[in-house]
Amino acid sequence: ERIRITPEGGTADDMKRIARTLTRNGCQVMTMTYHSPSIVAGHTPYVRTAAELEGFLGAIEAFCGYFRDELGGVFMGINSLRTSMHRT
């Protein structure tokens, strides 16, 4: 099974499942990806309508809440990540 942390073609539950597995396996860095045109309905095949955009954004919100609240994840930019990795 191939699951990515992306709302494009996946669900919040899919993203949560892979994040749980990655965490259990010791993964310390996760990245959510999506094409930036997907945040506007009609620009990608992943988000063709206003309803699909609502679902897309809802999946991002649901996953991010889970990541932070259930897994104890911390959001950071690449420079902060680099700094924190050099401390260890």
Side-chain angles (χ1 to χ4, degrees):
E1 180 178 33
R2 286 188 161 214
I3 302 173
R4 297 175 190 222
I5 301 176
T6 180
E8 294 178 331
T11 66
D13 287 341
D14 293 336
M15 294 187 289
K16 290 175 186 179
R17 191 166 70 246
I18 189 61
R20 241 185 336 267
T21 299
L22 290 169
T23 300
R24 274 192 228 123
N25 289 329
C27 179
Q28 295 183 332
V29 177
M30 296 180 205
T31 304
M32 175 185 282
T33 60
Y34 57 87
H35 299 88
S36 57
S38 289
I39 61 170
V40 177
H43 289 217
T44 68
Y46 304 106
V47 180
R48 294 173 298 230
T49 66
E52 287 179 346
L53 178 58
E54 189 175 317
F56 181 86
L57 296 174
I60 292 172
E61 185 175 353
F63 174 76
C64 288
Y66 173 81
F67 176 77
R68 181 193 61 222
D69 300 338
E70 301 296 321
L71 297 180
V74 176
F75 303 104
M76 63 179 64
I78 192 71
N79 289 331
S80 297
L81 174 63
R82 193 175 106 218
T83 300
S84 73
M85 297 302 277
H86 285 287
R87 284 190 212 139
T88 57

